[in-house]
Amino acid sequence: MIKKLNSIIPARAALCVALLSAAGLASALELPWDGELHGFVDGRGGVRTQSDPGEDERNLTELRAQLDSLTYFERFQLQIRGDFIYDELADDIEKIDLESGRGFFDLREMNVVFSPLDWSDVKVGRQILTWGTGDLLFINDLFPKDWNSFMLGRDVEYLKAPSDAIYASFFPSFVNIDLVYTPRFDADRYIDGERVSFYDMTGRYVGQDNAIDAEDRDDWFSDDEIAARLYRNIHGYETALYLYHGFWKSPVGYDVVGDAPYFPELNVFGASAKGSALSGIMNFETGYYDSREDRSGSDPFIPNSELRFLSGYQRELAKNLTAGVQYYVEWMMDYDAYADSLTPGTAARDELRHVLTLRLTQMLMNQNLILSVFTFFSPSDRDVYVRPSATYKISDNWSTSVNGNFFFGERKYTFFGRFRRNNSVNLSLRYNF
Amino acid sequence: MKRITVLIAAAGLACNLLGELSVAEIVERANQASYYAGDDGSADVTMTITDKGGSVRTREFRVLRMNTGQGTQKFYVYFKKPADLYKQVYLVWKEVKEGKDDSRWMWLPALNLKRSIAPGDKRISFVGSDFVYEDVSGRSLKEDKHELVETTDEQYVLKNTPVNPESVEFASYTVWIDKQTMLPRKAEYYDKSGKLLRTVEAVKVETIQGFPTVIESVAKDLNSGSTTVNTYSAIKYNIGLNERIFTERFLRRPPREAVR
């Protein structure tokens, strides 16, 4: 393994170094165009802290160089941001797949922003999209997530996967309106067993050798997604209504005929509010997940509809120490129909899945050392996911971090417990320019 | 009513001519001169932080400020350097009413995320420098008892004692205010035993568009041995900012006024 590493690294590393020096040069000199060029080089290595029968012992060995350019034109701005990656653990690194982010190049953003009207902005192209009020819990944010990056321990920015979409915002005086049209479904970069293993509801282990391969949803304009948000400030509270028409973002359905997981149809209707209360910030969010292909709840291969709710509160506990707590619940509709339809040998989910989270962040040494821990705890599933991290800013350009991902659970098949083979720690070194 | 106003103005003018401003007037005018010049304004700030060991960190950002009535203000701070803060925006809606907290947000462009900052200690460091949040947006005048301890030909010297001493790291601070410009030129913060903890000094002042303006200030933390120098350039007042700049729309798409 080491030998292989040695033979491959020089070529790719040379590429990265070349990129870096080009970028460094460009940023040091006056750019020949009206714009800005920035980025970073991030090296990261991680190991599993327990054995996993179907995955590599190391879970991260990568070097990535991100280039971020912003160019101003008279009527619009052009942004291009992409990562060149050398990933020792990836197969077929030469094959670039911009949808899944596989290969040696991951295009994060490539979009133009313009204002067709004084009260409207439009962003067209590849972009990162986020909305909603939860902290690492998402109800109405149905934009693609990269759960592999999240659990492997890449920087948290990689939790958000890019969307290829048209994002139109309108700002009449009484309300703000956001409309997002994604002409071809952008799935989550979901956990498939390739890099992160798991146990399914039957207790079966899924790893590299039996990684799941979902049916594609890639027909232009028919496998499309619409997301909308209406928001406004009411007496200091940020309130919003949401609508989503598309598909479950991970392949949670099972196509019996095609014998493969797939992305069933989904609508979501939701609302949120956020504002200051009790010397802190409070937020509420809810969403009704209308599982369009199984409204009766009797199909065991398609998830039932659900009502989801979260509430959060964050405040400063002491100087440079903040805490955030959240309560989150998923309430499965038509639970009896679900329970009746289960095939023998499949574990049943609970009707209500409760999750509590706690985030603690401590800044030390003139805010150059940041210690944080984020914990998910489900009292109903009796499982835990802990994410400790320490980041130190060595200088304006250099930073280093240590991160961990730890899963505990009484049972193998629960939401976090099923990742019990993926406990890991990693170390990163980053140069920003 | 009108007559009363005129009377008060005349009285105020008379006091001023005699050099006999009341303490309340001095702190109010100093506050106006420091934080409220013009209807709005913008400036480029370079912050150089040098720690005890001599290592240097720099931050560069543009500040847009707008007075939004009754003492409230909005701030839009667009970071250009260092690279890990590039394109991040710090947005503040400052409140002055008692019991009302400022609203603060951070825009994280890589995540496309508007993160609310919990209201909290305004005495913590602003982006790792020796300036604290209150130095940037102003400390409420109601937070301290003010006492005129000396009047020289050029300056008023005020001793300020916090009403709620547990809320701050100092026991008192002394401010030297220029009579002519009403700008505070120096502040010294002391602990309970009278030991000097921290100093903030306006080392260069220029008049820009008729407003006396600090163009270089220095903060020193005597405990840590760290020093921060702020230099201000491209200062402009009354630029006609639109209040809508201070909203989510312009976090997602930074306005021309912030980036160019």
Side-chain angles (χ1 to χ4, degrees):
Chain A
M1 213 53 168
I2 298 289
K3 202 173 171 190
K4 188 181 158 207
L5 191 71
N6 285 340
S7 64
I8 300 173
I9 277 188
R12 305 291 165 66
L15 174 74
C16 285
V17 169
L19 278 167
L20 174 60
S21 24
L25 201 65
S27 63
L29 299 170
E30 278 289 298
L31 286 179
W33 70 89
D34 184 15
E36 290 153 27
L37 183 65
H38 286 272
F40 58 77
V41 175
D42 183 301
R44 207 167 275 248
V47 288
R48 285 190 156 72
T49 54
Q50 85 294 287
S51 69
D52 187 323
E55 302 285 352
D56 297 307
E57 200 177 313
R58 291 172 297 162
N59 76 339
L60 273 178
T61 49
E62 63 184 36
L63 186 62
R64 61 175 69 224
Q66 181 173 100
L67 290 181
D68 180 3
S69 88
L70 184 60
T71 312
Y72 301 101
F73 294 90
E74 182 65 29
R75 316 269 325 175
F76 64 94
Q77 289 175 20
L78 169 68
Q79 177 164 25
I80 305 174
R81 190 159 66 94
D83 287 15
F84 293 87
I85 306 151
Y86 169 66
D87 183 344
E88 221 274 307
L89 297 168
D91 300 324
D92 295 336
I93 195 154
E94 286 74 24
K95 267 191 229 153
I96 296 176
D97 177 2
L98 292 181
E99 280 297 305
S100 67
R102 293 201 170 113
F104 69 85
F105 181 65
D106 184 13
L107 184 62
R108 308 287 304 164
E109 291 189 78
M110 186 162 78
N111 56 63
V112 293
V113 182
F114 58 97
S115 298
L117 298 162
D118 187 44
W119 48 278
S120 170
D121 292 336
V122 176
K123 193 172 191 175
V124 182
R126 177 158 283 218
Q127 52 191 300
I128 303 291
L129 290 164
T130 304
W131 63 40
T133 65
D135 183 6
L136 301 182
L137 289 172
F138 305 95
I139 293 179
N140 291 296
D141 177 342
L142 287 129
F143 304 113
K145 319 283 185 311
D146 183 346
W147 295 109
N148 290 288
S149 287
F150 186 66
M151 290 186 183
L152 287 172
R154 293 192 181 112
D155 188 280
V156 74
E157 88 163 82
Y158 293 98
L159 170 59
K160 300 299 291 192
S163 299
D164 295 310
I166 299 168
Y167 181 98
S169 304
F170 304 94
F171 308 95
S173 58
F174 53 97
V175 71
N176 304 296
I177 303 160
D178 287 334
L179 294 174
V180 182
Y181 181 67
T182 309
R184 194 174 71 157
F185 178 57
D186 283 318
D188 282 350
R189 295 175 176 180
Y190 58 88
I191 303 292
D192 58 3
E194 197 64 57
R195 293 288 289 270
V196 176
S197 67
F198 64 97
Y199 291 90
D200 71 11
M201 292 303 274
T202 65
R204 182 178 65 118
Y205 171 87
V206 180
Q208 266 172 20
D209 294 336
N210 58 341
I212 58 171
D213 188 12
E215 287 174 7
D216 292 334
R217 267 240 186 243
D218 55 2
D219 287 337
W220 287 91
F221 307 110
S222 60
D223 288 336
D224 55 356
E225 296 172 275
I226 298 166
R229 175 175 68 147
L230 267 75
Y231 65 102
R232 68 165 294 175
N233 197 307
I234 301 175
H235 301 302
Y237 289 85
E238 297 171 40
T239 58
L241 294 172
Y242 308 85
L243 179 81
Y244 172 78
H245 176 81
F247 309 93
W248 289 86
K249 304 297 287 190
S250 287
V252 288
Y254 193 78
D255 176 2
V256 183
V257 180
D259 190 24
Y262 81 112
F263 304 93
E265 294 171 355
L266 176 71
N267 289 335
V268 180
F269 312 93
S272 73
K274 185 171 195 168
S276 55
L278 308 167
S279 322
I281 298 168
M282 250 179 145
N283 62 291
F284 298 94
E285 186 168 341
T286 185
Y288 180 73
Y289 277 52
D290 169 23
S291 191
R292 283 186 284 155
E293 294 179 38
D294 185 23
R295 284 193 167 127
S296 68
S298 57
D299 188 333
F301 300 110
I302 298 169
N304 284 16
S305 295
E306 281 178 16
L307 188 64
R308 296 186 179 187
F309 172 82
L310 77 79
S311 168
Y313 173 62
Q314 57 154 318
R315 68 169 293 176
E316 203 173 65
L317 294 182
K319 228 175 194 183
N320 291 313
L321 174 66
T322 52
V325 290
Q326 295 180 107
Y327 166 69
Y328 167 85
V329 63
E330 290 173 357
W331 179 18
M332 190 194 289
M333 304 283 105
D334 306 302
Y335 185 76
D336 292 342
Y338 161 79
D340 290 344
S341 71
L342 280 178
T343 48
T346 305
R349 276 184 47 180
D350 293 336
E351 182 172 2
L352 289 162
R353 176 175 164 250
H354 305 274
V355 179
L356 295 164
T357 75
L358 172 66
R359 181 194 284 278
L360 289 171
T361 308
Q362 170 87 60
M363 293 195 289
L364 298 163
M365 301 170 74
N366 261 359
Q367 303 177 1
N368 290 314
L369 177 63
I370 300 155
L371 303 177
S372 97
V373 61
F374 192 98
T375 306
F376 297 90
F377 162 59
S378 170
S380 52
D381 277 353
R382 295 201 290 279
D383 59 4
V384 174
Y385 174 20
V386 189
R387 294 169 52 86
S389 95
T391 303
Y392 179 63
K393 296 182 181 183
I394 303 163
S395 71
D396 281 344
N397 297 109
W398 290 95
S399 65
T400 181
S401 72
V402 187
N403 309 281
N405 286 278
F406 302 104
F407 304 87
F408 309 94
E410 235 170 60
R411 290 163 292 178
K412 261 193 200 169
Y413 55 83
T414 57
F415 194 84
F416 298 117
R418 64 192 162 141
F419 301 116
R420 58 182 57 220
R421 296 282 190 171
N422 297 281
N423 298 324
S424 67
V425 288
N426 71 72
L427 178 70
S428 83
L429 183 64
R430 181 180 282 221
Y431 179 80
N432 291 291
F433 59 86
Chain B
M1 189 65 201
K2 202 172 177 185
R3 189 173 293 171
I4 295 170
T5 320
V6 172
L7 217 63
I8 291 171
L13 188 67
C15 286
N16 197 5
L17 289 172
L18 295 168
E20 286 174 13
L21 286 178
S22 72
V23 176
E25 276 175 312
I26 295 169
V27 292
E28 176 54 36
R29 288 205 195 178
N31 189 43
Q32 287 293 328
S34 306
Y35 297 103
Y36 291 89
D39 298 328
D40 62 28
S42 100
D44 287 341
V45 184
T46 301
M47 207 172 225
T48 310
I49 308 160
T50 310
D51 73 11
K52 193 170 58 181
S55 74
V56 175
R57 293 170 198 260
T58 53
R59 280 102 186 76
E60 280 179 33
F61 50 89
R62 177 167 299 171
V63 186
L64 305 177
R65 170 192 46 90
M66 186 170 181
N67 301 343
T68 44
Q70 293 164 340
T72 64
Q73 291 182 311
K74 291 181 178 175
F75 295 86
Y76 186 108
V77 180
Y78 180 83
F79 285 92
K80 299 178 180 185
K81 277 183 187 164
D84 67 327
L85 293 182
Y86 168 61
K87 285 201 291 194
Q88 292 194 10
V89 181
Y90 173 62
L91 178 66
V92 184
W93 292 2
K94 174 175 149 183
E95 300 288 349
V96 283
K97 261 196 203 146
E98 260 183 285
K100 231 181 158 189
D101 289 314
D102 295 353
S103 298
R104 304 185 294 169
W105 299 271
M106 200 78 205
W107 175 253
L108 307 173
L111 285 160
N112 195 247
L113 179 67
K114 181 173 100 172
R115 178 174 286 165
S116 304
I117 302 173
D121 200 327
K122 291 181 188 168
R123 303 297 306 169
I124 65 168
S125 159
F126 180 68
V127 292
S129 73
D130 298 296
F131 289 91
V132 298
Y133 279 94
E134 267 181 0
D135 297 327
V136 179
S137 57
R139 178 171 168 83
S140 168
L141 302 181
K142 293 179 198 125
E143 299 263 12
D144 302 305
K145 274 184 242 138
H146 312 278
E147 193 186 332
L148 185 63
V149 291
E150 197 188 345
T151 306
T152 68
D153 287 349
E154 278 101 39
Q155 290 183 318
Y156 298 108
V157 186
L158 271 78
K159 187 182 173 190
N160 310 275
T161 316
V163 175
N164 183 7
E166 294 83 49
S167 67
V168 290
E169 79 285 2
F170 56 83
S172 74
Y173 64 103
T174 304
V175 182
W176 285 259
I177 297 165
D178 269 358
K179 279 182 170 174
Q180 201 195 339
T181 62
M182 290 313 286
L183 279 179
R185 294 303 298 264
K186 193 163 103 175
E188 290 183 343
Y189 295 79
Y190 300 94
D191 71 5
K192 257 182 266 169
S193 65
K195 193 181 129 213
L196 186 59
L197 294 172
R198 182 170 167 269
T199 62
V200 179
E201 204 171 344
V203 292
K204 277 186 202 158
V205 172
E206 271 179 21
T207 300
I208 294 167
Q209 292 172 253
F211 300 104
T213 305
V214 177
I215 60 161
E216 188 175 321
S217 57
V218 179
K220 283 184 187 160
D221 182 330
L222 285 91
N223 282 334
S224 70
S226 170
T227 301
T228 301
V229 179
N230 275 1
T231 56
Y232 301 83
S233 59
I235 301 161
K236 283 179 268 181
Y237 293 104
N238 296 328
I239 52 179
L241 289 179
N242 190 323
E243 195 173 341
R244 68 181 188 180
I245 280 176
F246 304 88
T247 62
E248 180 168 339
R249 176 182 185 185
F250 289 94
L251 291 176
R252 291 180 180 275
R253 183 175 76 81
R256 190 160 273 269
E257 291 87 341
V259 297
R260 309 313 303 279

